[in-house]
Amino acid sequence: MAKQLRVQVWNPAGKHRVVSTKPMPGTRWIGLLTAAGCRVEVCTENKTILSVEDIRSLIGTQCDGVIGQLTEDWGEELFAALRKAGGHAFSNMAVGYNNVDVDAATRNGISVGNTPGVLTETTAELAAALTLAAARRVVEADDFMRAGKYEGWIPTLFVGNLLKGQTVGVVGAGRIGAAYARMMIEGFKMNLIYYDLYQSTRLENYVTAYGEFLKSRREVPVTWKRATTVEEVLGEADVVSLHPVLDKTTYHLINKERLALMKKEAILVNASRGPVIDEAALVEHLKENPMFRVGLDVFEDEPHMKPGLEKLPNAVVVPHIASASKWTREGMATLAALNVAAKIKGYPVWHDSNNVEPFLDENSTPPLACPSIVNSKALGLRIGGKPESKL
Ligand SMILES: NC(=O)c1ccc[n+]([C@@H]2O[C@H](COP(=O)([O-])OP(=O)(O)OC[C@H]3O[C@@H](n4cnc5c(N)ncnc54)[C@H](O)[C@@H]3O)[C@@H](O)[C@H]2O)c1
Ligand SMILES: O=C(O)[C@H](O)CO
């Protein structure tokens, strides 16, 4: 018998029961759910990652929808439990949904929401921060300073890499990868090489236009190149940042053999998902190549690091905080709540999941639609959405 988990209840008399497996930032998301007639139960148990058993007990015998987290294992067991409890709506509070078995959700007639767009710039900024921290050895230098080791300026102290005029490689040039590329190109005048399954004409045009602008100012123009293989990016780039989805095609995309193709003094950044890199191979590569540096936001066995990584000065490591700006986290909560509330109300799926801005303006009522449902086609859900109607 599973233990009863602590919950905080909002709008107890609400007609539809919605569970959030975690407290989420801000209050707008709670207001939107209660305005849609939902009783909202937020799990406040002091446990970082809930087990499948914990979540089953939260779902209970009657539940219309759940907002879950990327640390949870949403598979057949939970979706069957949710369907049995009368539910038909689930949303991850994340854009990535590799923790969700979407086919299992579809089999059980449950929609799977995610939160694209609202975290694009925030995540790209953290990838840029990791790039700079690794290139200029910021964390090593900070440790050195705090340890009282600084005895005065010398020409050889913490010499790192200059980014200007170097080549930035982006693997996965979707929303976040393209935003990161633009930051590095405009901010540091880097040239671009990218690899993606699809051509990013928008990004290419952007770099071309920026190159023309620089030329008009008699500055050296930036350039772009679409690589035909990931190996081409690894061989040519001075900085490589990983931004693909995690699936079978990207699991251990960066392995021992591919690390060996990279420049000895290259920088590798990962703010996508940990398993995109074979982390044990990375630890060995970092040991053998002290001038090779990494910036990591995500890890293969989160929350753990592969043994040895914690000791390496050429690695900057942060705990999966790439989307952690107040505006983004509150926006993620809003999108997740609306994915569930609008589905419960029978509204259609928003026509453009790459443009969720209309849902994020706190001063206006959101469109009558689910912002982003990844299995909308498989479930045969209606596409539409009308701005400026009350939920
Ligand atoms: N660290 C964090 O906190 C954080 C925050 C947000 C997103 N993410 C991760 O970033 C990922 C990307 O988010 P997004 O909004 O940019 O998604 P997106 O769908 O816009 O971009 C993903 C890109 O990856 C490409 N891709 C897929 N398979 C590929 C392959 N085998 N090789 C190369 N490219 C491939 C796709 O074509 C697409 O362009 C998410 O799925 C999530 O896992 C992490
Ligand atoms: O996929 C996501 O949205 C992120 O990992 C959350 O920060």
Side-chain angles (χ1 to χ4, degrees), residues 207-255:
V207 183
T208 302
Y210 187 54
E212 291 301 322
F213 167 76
L214 290 174
K215 245 197 271 181
S216 74
R217 315 268 306 188
R218 296 186 196 286
E219 290 188 49
V220 181
V222 289
T223 61
W224 63 264
K225 177 177 172 186
R226 182 182 177 203
T228 49
T229 61
V230 73
E231 284 81 3
E232 204 179 328
V233 174
L234 299 176
E236 286 188 27
D238 301 286
V239 171
V240 174
S241 196
L242 307 173
H243 297 285
V245 297
L246 171 62
D247 64 12
K248 281 187 204 130
T249 69
T250 58
Y251 175 81
H252 281 193
L253 186 72
I254 304 300
N255 57 18

Short mmCIF file of all heavy atoms in Angstrom, two decimals, residues 207-255:
data_model
loop_
_atom_site.label_atom_id
_atom_site.label_comp_id
_atom_site.label_asym_id
_atom_site.label_seq_id
_atom_site.Cartn_x
_atom_site.Cartn_y
_atom_site.Cartn_z
N VAL A 207 22.28 34.57 -40.75
CA VAL A 207 23.75 34.71 -40.73
C VAL A 207 24.22 35.45 -41.98
O VAL A 207 25.08 36.32 -41.91
CB VAL A 207 24.45 33.34 -40.60
CG1 VAL A 207 25.97 33.51 -40.49
CG2 VAL A 207 23.93 32.56 -39.39
N THR A 208 23.60 35.12 -43.12
CA THR A 208 23.96 35.82 -44.36
C THR A 208 23.72 37.32 -44.20
O THR A 208 24.59 38.15 -44.52
CB THR A 208 23.11 35.29 -45.53
OG1 THR A 208 23.34 33.89 -45.64
CG2 THR A 208 23.48 35.96 -46.85
N ALA A 209 22.54 37.67 -43.67
CA ALA A 209 22.19 39.10 -43.50
C ALA A 209 23.15 39.78 -42.53
O ALA A 209 23.59 40.92 -42.77
CB ALA A 209 20.75 39.23 -43.02
N TYR A 210 23.51 39.07 -41.47
CA TYR A 210 24.43 39.66 -40.49
C TYR A 210 25.82 39.83 -41.11
O TYR A 210 26.50 40.84 -40.89
CB TYR A 210 24.48 38.80 -39.22
CG TYR A 210 25.28 39.45 -38.12
CD1 TYR A 210 25.00 40.75 -37.69
CD2 TYR A 210 26.34 38.77 -37.50
CE1 TYR A 210 25.74 41.36 -36.69
CE2 TYR A 210 27.09 39.37 -36.51
CZ TYR A 210 26.78 40.67 -36.10
OH TYR A 210 27.53 41.27 -35.12
N GLY A 211 26.22 38.86 -41.92
CA GLY A 211 27.51 38.95 -42.63
C GLY A 211 27.53 40.17 -43.55
O GLY A 211 28.52 40.91 -43.62
N GLU A 212 26.40 40.40 -44.26
CA GLU A 212 26.30 41.56 -45.15
C GLU A 212 26.41 42.87 -44.36
O GLU A 212 27.08 43.81 -44.78
CB GLU A 212 24.95 41.55 -45.91
CG GLU A 212 24.82 40.43 -46.93
CD GLU A 212 25.91 40.48 -48.01
OE1 GLU A 212 26.27 41.59 -48.43
OE2 GLU A 212 26.42 39.41 -48.40
N PHE A 213 25.76 42.87 -43.20
CA PHE A 213 25.81 44.06 -42.33
C PHE A 213 27.27 44.34 -41.92
O PHE A 213 27.75 45.47 -42.01
CB PHE A 213 24.93 43.84 -41.10
CG PHE A 213 25.15 44.84 -40.00
CD1 PHE A 213 24.63 46.13 -40.11
CD2 PHE A 213 25.88 44.51 -38.86
CE1 PHE A 213 24.85 47.07 -39.09
CE2 PHE A 213 26.10 45.44 -37.85
CZ PHE A 213 25.59 46.72 -37.97
N LEU A 214 27.97 43.30 -41.50
CA LEU A 214 29.37 43.48 -41.08
C LEU A 214 30.22 44.00 -42.24
O LEU A 214 31.05 44.89 -42.07
CB LEU A 214 29.94 42.16 -40.54
CG LEU A 214 29.37 41.67 -39.20
CD1 LEU A 214 29.91 40.29 -38.85
CD2 LEU A 214 29.69 42.65 -38.07
N LYS A 215 29.95 43.43 -43.43
CA LYS A 215 30.71 43.86 -44.62
C LYS A 215 30.49 45.36 -44.86
O LYS A 215 31.42 46.09 -45.16
CB LYS A 215 30.22 43.06 -45.84
CG LYS A 215 31.33 42.15 -46.40
CD LYS A 215 31.01 41.71 -47.81
CE LYS A 215 30.22 40.42 -47.77
NZ LYS A 215 29.87 39.90 -49.09
N SER A 216 29.21 45.78 -44.71
CA SER A 216 28.89 47.20 -44.96
C SER A 216 29.62 48.11 -43.96
O SER A 216 29.78 49.29 -44.20
CB SER A 216 27.38 47.42 -44.89
OG SER A 216 26.96 47.38 -43.55
N ARG A 217 30.03 47.52 -42.83
CA ARG A 217 30.78 48.30 -41.82
C ARG A 217 32.29 48.08 -41.96
O ARG A 217 33.04 48.37 -41.06
CB ARG A 217 30.36 47.85 -40.41
CG ARG A 217 28.88 47.69 -40.18
CD ARG A 217 28.22 48.89 -39.67
NE ARG A 217 28.88 49.36 -38.46
CZ ARG A 217 28.41 50.33 -37.70
NH1 ARG A 217 27.28 50.91 -38.03
NH2 ARG A 217 29.05 50.73 -36.62
N ARG A 218 32.67 47.45 -43.06
CA ARG A 218 34.08 47.11 -43.34
C ARG A 218 34.68 46.20 -42.27
O ARG A 218 35.85 46.27 -41.92
CB ARG A 218 34.94 48.38 -43.47
CG ARG A 218 34.54 49.24 -44.63
CD ARG A 218 35.50 50.39 -44.79
NE ARG A 218 34.94 51.43 -45.63
CZ ARG A 218 34.81 51.33 -46.95
NH1 ARG A 218 35.24 50.25 -47.57
NH2 ARG A 218 34.27 52.29 -47.64
N GLU A 219 33.80 45.35 -41.70
CA GLU A 219 34.29 44.34 -40.74
C GLU A 219 34.31 42.99 -41.46
O GLU A 219 33.64 42.81 -42.48
CB GLU A 219 33.37 44.27 -39.53
CG GLU A 219 33.45 45.50 -38.64
CD GLU A 219 32.66 45.31 -37.35
OE1 GLU A 219 32.84 44.27 -36.69
OE2 GLU A 219 31.88 46.20 -37.03
N VAL A 220 35.05 42.05 -40.88
CA VAL A 220 35.12 40.73 -41.50
C VAL A 220 33.75 40.06 -41.38
O VAL A 220 33.20 39.96 -40.27
CB VAL A 220 36.18 39.85 -40.77
CG1 VAL A 220 36.29 38.47 -41.42
CG2 VAL A 220 37.52 40.56 -40.74
N PRO A 221 33.15 39.61 -42.50
CA PRO A 221 31.80 39.02 -42.40
C PRO A 221 31.84 37.62 -41.76
O PRO A 221 32.84 36.92 -41.87
CB PRO A 221 31.35 38.93 -43.86
CG PRO A 221 32.60 38.92 -44.66
CD PRO A 221 33.65 39.65 -43.87
N VAL A 222 30.73 37.26 -41.11
CA VAL A 222 30.60 35.90 -40.59
C VAL A 222 30.07 35.00 -41.72
O VAL A 222 29.45 35.48 -42.67
CB VAL A 222 29.65 35.85 -39.39
CG1 VAL A 222 30.27 36.50 -38.17
CG2 VAL A 222 28.30 36.49 -39.71
N THR A 223 30.30 33.70 -41.59
CA THR A 223 29.87 32.76 -42.63
C THR A 223 29.08 31.61 -42.01
O THR A 223 29.14 31.40 -40.79
CB THR A 223 31.09 32.15 -43.35
OG1 THR A 223 31.86 31.44 -42.37
CG2 THR A 223 31.95 33.22 -44.01
N TRP A 224 28.36 30.86 -42.84
CA TRP A 224 27.68 29.65 -42.34
C TRP A 224 27.90 28.49 -43.29
O TRP A 224 28.19 28.67 -44.48
CB TRP A 224 26.18 29.90 -42.16
CG TRP A 224 25.43 30.23 -43.42
CD1 TRP A 224 25.13 31.47 -43.87
CD2 TRP A 224 24.91 29.31 -44.39
NE1 TRP A 224 24.44 31.39 -45.06
CE2 TRP A 224 24.29 30.08 -45.40
CE3 TRP A 224 24.90 27.91 -44.49
CZ2 TRP A 224 23.68 29.50 -46.52
CZ3 TRP A 224 24.29 27.34 -45.60
CH2 TRP A 224 23.68 28.12 -46.60
N LYS A 225 27.76 27.30 -42.73
CA LYS A 225 27.86 26.09 -43.55
C LYS A 225 26.96 25.03 -42.92
O LYS A 225 26.98 24.83 -41.70
CB LYS A 225 29.32 25.62 -43.52
CG LYS A 225 29.59 24.33 -44.25
CD LYS A 225 31.09 24.04 -44.19
CE LYS A 225 31.41 22.69 -44.73
NZ LYS A 225 32.82 22.35 -44.54
N ARG A 226 26.18 24.36 -43.76
CA ARG A 226 25.39 23.22 -43.25
C ARG A 226 26.20 21.95 -43.51
O ARG A 226 26.50 21.61 -44.66
CB ARG A 226 24.04 23.13 -43.94
CG ARG A 226 23.23 21.99 -43.38
CD ARG A 226 21.89 21.83 -44.06
NE ARG A 226 21.21 20.66 -43.50
CZ ARG A 226 20.28 19.98 -44.11
NH1 ARG A 226 19.86 20.36 -45.31
NH2 ARG A 226 19.72 18.92 -43.54
N ALA A 227 26.56 21.24 -42.44
CA ALA A 227 27.37 20.03 -42.58
C ALA A 227 26.47 18.87 -42.99
O ALA A 227 25.30 18.82 -42.63
CB ALA A 227 28.05 19.72 -41.26
N THR A 228 27.05 17.92 -43.71
CA THR A 228 26.25 16.75 -44.10
C THR A 228 26.38 15.62 -43.08
O THR A 228 25.58 14.69 -43.08
CB THR A 228 26.66 16.23 -45.50
OG1 THR A 228 28.08 16.11 -45.51
CG2 THR A 228 26.22 17.17 -46.60
N THR A 229 27.38 15.74 -42.20
CA THR A 229 27.54 14.73 -41.14
C THR A 229 27.90 15.43 -39.84
O THR A 229 28.46 16.54 -39.86
CB THR A 229 28.69 13.74 -41.45
OG1 THR A 229 29.91 14.48 -41.53
CG2 THR A 229 28.46 12.97 -42.74
N VAL A 230 27.64 14.76 -38.74
CA VAL A 230 28.02 15.31 -37.44
C VAL A 230 29.56 15.35 -37.33
O VAL A 230 30.14 16.26 -36.72
CB VAL A 230 27.33 14.53 -36.29
CG1 VAL A 230 27.91 13.17 -36.09
CG2 VAL A 230 27.37 15.30 -35.00
N GLU A 231 30.21 14.39 -37.97
CA GLU A 231 31.69 14.32 -37.94
C GLU A 231 32.31 15.59 -38.51
O GLU A 231 33.33 16.07 -38.02
CB GLU A 231 32.19 13.10 -38.74
CG GLU A 231 32.03 11.76 -38.06
CD GLU A 231 30.63 11.18 -38.16
OE1 GLU A 231 29.77 11.79 -38.82
OE2 GLU A 231 30.39 10.10 -37.58
N GLU A 232 31.67 16.12 -39.56
CA GLU A 232 32.18 17.34 -40.20
C GLU A 232 32.18 18.51 -39.19
O GLU A 232 33.14 19.28 -39.12
CB GLU A 232 31.25 17.65 -41.37
CG GLU A 232 31.86 18.47 -42.47
CD GLU A 232 30.83 18.68 -43.59
OE1 GLU A 232 29.96 17.81 -43.83
OE2 GLU A 232 30.90 19.76 -44.21
N VAL A 233 31.11 18.60 -38.41
CA VAL A 233 31.03 19.67 -37.40
C VAL A 233 32.14 19.47 -36.36
O VAL A 233 32.86 20.41 -36.00
CB VAL A 233 29.65 19.65 -36.68
CG1 VAL A 233 29.62 20.64 -35.53
CG2 VAL A 233 28.54 19.93 -37.66
N LEU A 234 32.27 18.25 -35.89
CA LEU A 234 33.24 17.97 -34.83
C LEU A 234 34.66 18.27 -35.28
O LEU A 234 35.48 18.79 -34.51
CB LEU A 234 33.12 16.51 -34.36
CG LEU A 234 31.76 16.13 -33.79
CD1 LEU A 234 31.71 14.65 -33.44
CD2 LEU A 234 31.41 16.97 -32.56
N GLY A 235 34.96 17.99 -36.52
CA GLY A 235 36.32 18.20 -37.04
C GLY A 235 36.64 19.68 -37.27
O GLY A 235 37.78 20.10 -37.12
N GLU A 236 35.62 20.47 -37.61
CA GLU A 236 35.89 21.86 -38.02
C GLU A 236 35.69 22.90 -36.92
O GLU A 236 36.30 23.97 -36.95
CB GLU A 236 34.99 22.24 -39.20
CG GLU A 236 35.43 21.60 -40.49
CD GLU A 236 34.67 22.12 -41.70
OE1 GLU A 236 34.20 23.27 -41.66
OE2 GLU A 236 34.56 21.35 -42.67
N ALA A 237 34.81 22.60 -35.96
CA ALA A 237 34.42 23.65 -35.01
C ALA A 237 35.41 23.79 -33.85
O ALA A 237 36.03 22.81 -33.41
CB ALA A 237 33.03 23.35 -34.47
N ASP A 238 35.50 25.04 -33.34
CA ASP A 238 36.30 25.30 -32.14
C ASP A 238 35.43 25.15 -30.90
O ASP A 238 35.93 24.86 -29.81
CB ASP A 238 36.87 26.73 -32.22
CG ASP A 238 37.72 26.90 -33.46
OD1 ASP A 238 38.84 26.37 -33.46
OD2 ASP A 238 37.25 27.51 -34.44
N VAL A 239 34.14 25.38 -31.07
CA VAL A 239 33.15 25.20 -30.00
C VAL A 239 32.03 24.36 -30.59
O VAL A 239 31.56 24.66 -31.69
CB VAL A 239 32.56 26.56 -29.56
CG1 VAL A 239 31.39 26.36 -28.60
CG2 VAL A 239 33.62 27.45 -28.93
N VAL A 240 31.60 23.33 -29.87
CA VAL A 240 30.44 22.54 -30.34
C VAL A 240 29.38 22.54 -29.25
O VAL A 240 29.67 22.19 -28.10
CB VAL A 240 30.85 21.07 -30.66
CG1 VAL A 240 29.61 20.23 -31.00
CG2 VAL A 240 31.86 21.02 -31.79
N SER A 241 28.17 22.94 -29.59
CA SER A 241 27.09 22.94 -28.61
C SER A 241 25.98 22.00 -29.09
O SER A 241 25.58 22.03 -30.25
CB SER A 241 26.56 24.37 -28.41
OG SER A 241 25.80 24.43 -27.24
N LEU A 242 25.51 21.16 -28.17
CA LEU A 242 24.56 20.09 -28.53
C LEU A 242 23.13 20.52 -28.15
O LEU A 242 22.87 20.82 -26.98
CB LEU A 242 24.92 18.81 -27.79
CG LEU A 242 26.37 18.34 -27.96
CD1 LEU A 242 26.66 17.15 -27.04
CD2 LEU A 242 26.63 17.96 -29.42
N HIS A 243 22.23 20.50 -29.14
CA HIS A 243 20.83 20.91 -28.86
C HIS A 243 19.80 20.02 -29.54
O HIS A 243 18.69 20.49 -29.83
CB HIS A 243 20.63 22.37 -29.30
CG HIS A 243 21.50 23.32 -28.54
ND1 HIS A 243 21.25 23.69 -27.24
CD2 HIS A 243 22.67 23.93 -28.88
CE1 HIS A 243 22.20 24.51 -26.82
NE2 HIS A 243 23.08 24.67 -27.79
N PRO A 244 20.08 18.74 -29.79
CA PRO A 244 19.04 17.91 -30.41
C PRO A 244 18.08 17.36 -29.36
O PRO A 244 18.34 17.45 -28.16
CB PRO A 244 19.85 16.77 -31.03
CG PRO A 244 20.98 16.58 -30.08
CD PRO A 244 21.29 17.96 -29.53
N VAL A 245 16.98 16.78 -29.81
CA VAL A 245 16.13 15.99 -28.91
C VAL A 245 16.92 14.74 -28.52
O VAL A 245 17.86 14.36 -29.21
CB VAL A 245 14.82 15.56 -29.62
CG1 VAL A 245 14.00 16.77 -30.01
CG2 VAL A 245 15.12 14.72 -30.86
N LEU A 246 16.53 14.11 -27.42
CA LEU A 246 17.12 12.81 -27.10
C LEU A 246 16.18 11.73 -27.62
O LEU A 246 15.01 11.66 -27.22
CB LEU A 246 17.31 12.64 -25.59
CG LEU A 246 17.71 11.22 -25.13
CD1 LEU A 246 19.07 10.80 -25.72
CD2 LEU A 246 17.74 11.12 -23.60
N ASP A 247 16.68 10.93 -28.55
CA ASP A 247 15.95 9.75 -29.02
C ASP A 247 16.97 8.71 -29.45
O ASP A 247 18.18 8.88 -29.18
CB ASP A 247 14.94 10.12 -30.13
CG ASP A 247 15.62 10.65 -31.40
OD1 ASP A 247 16.86 10.54 -31.54
OD2 ASP A 247 14.90 11.17 -32.27
N LYS A 248 16.52 7.67 -30.14
CA LYS A 248 17.45 6.59 -30.54
C LYS A 248 18.57 7.12 -31.42
O LYS A 248 19.68 6.62 -31.41
CB LYS A 248 16.68 5.51 -31.30
CG LYS A 248 15.90 4.60 -30.37
CD LYS A 248 15.29 3.44 -31.17
CE LYS A 248 14.10 2.91 -30.42
NZ LYS A 248 12.89 2.79 -31.23
N THR A 249 18.27 8.15 -32.23
CA THR A 249 19.28 8.64 -33.18
C THR A 249 20.34 9.51 -32.50
O THR A 249 21.39 9.77 -33.09
CB THR A 249 18.64 9.46 -34.33
OG1 THR A 249 18.13 10.70 -33.79
CG2 THR A 249 17.53 8.70 -35.02
N THR A 250 20.06 10.01 -31.31
CA THR A 250 21.03 10.91 -30.66
C THR A 250 21.63 10.33 -29.38
O THR A 250 22.47 10.97 -28.76
CB THR A 250 20.38 12.28 -30.35
OG1 THR A 250 19.26 12.06 -29.49
CG2 THR A 250 19.95 12.99 -31.61
N TYR A 251 21.17 9.14 -28.98
CA TYR A 251 21.76 8.50 -27.80
C TYR A 251 23.25 8.23 -28.07
O TYR A 251 23.61 7.64 -29.08
CB TYR A 251 21.02 7.18 -27.50
CG TYR A 251 21.64 6.40 -26.36
CD1 TYR A 251 21.38 6.74 -25.04
CD2 TYR A 251 22.51 5.35 -26.62
CE1 TYR A 251 21.97 6.05 -23.99
CE2 TYR A 251 23.11 4.65 -25.58
CZ TYR A 251 22.83 5.01 -24.27
OH TYR A 251 23.43 4.34 -23.24
N HIS A 252 24.12 8.71 -27.20
CA HIS A 252 25.59 8.56 -27.35
C HIS A 252 26.07 9.05 -28.73
O HIS A 252 26.98 8.46 -29.31
CB HIS A 252 26.03 7.12 -27.11
CG HIS A 252 26.10 6.79 -25.64
ND1 HIS A 252 26.71 5.66 -25.16
CD2 HIS A 252 25.67 7.45 -24.55
CE1 HIS A 252 26.62 5.64 -23.83
NE2 HIS A 252 25.99 6.71 -23.44
N LEU A 253 25.44 10.10 -29.21
CA LEU A 253 25.86 10.70 -30.48
C LEU A 253 27.33 11.11 -30.37
O LEU A 253 28.10 11.02 -31.33
CB LEU A 253 24.99 11.93 -30.75
CG LEU A 253 25.15 12.64 -32.08
CD1 LEU A 253 24.58 11.79 -33.21
CD2 LEU A 253 24.44 13.99 -32.06
N ILE A 254 27.71 11.61 -29.19
CA ILE A 254 29.11 11.97 -28.95
C ILE A 254 29.73 10.83 -28.14
O ILE A 254 29.42 10.66 -26.96
CB ILE A 254 29.21 13.32 -28.20
CG1 ILE A 254 28.48 14.42 -28.97
CG2 ILE A 254 30.69 13.69 -27.97
CD1 ILE A 254 28.99 14.70 -30.38
N ASN A 255 30.57 10.04 -28.82
CA ASN A 255 31.20 8.89 -28.18
C ASN A 255 32.72 9.00 -28.31
O ASN A 255 33.24 10.01 -28.79
CB ASN A 255 30.67 7.58 -28.80
CG ASN A 255 30.90 7.57 -30.32
OD1 ASN A 255 31.71 8.33 -30.84
ND2 ASN A 255 30.17 6.72 -31.02
#
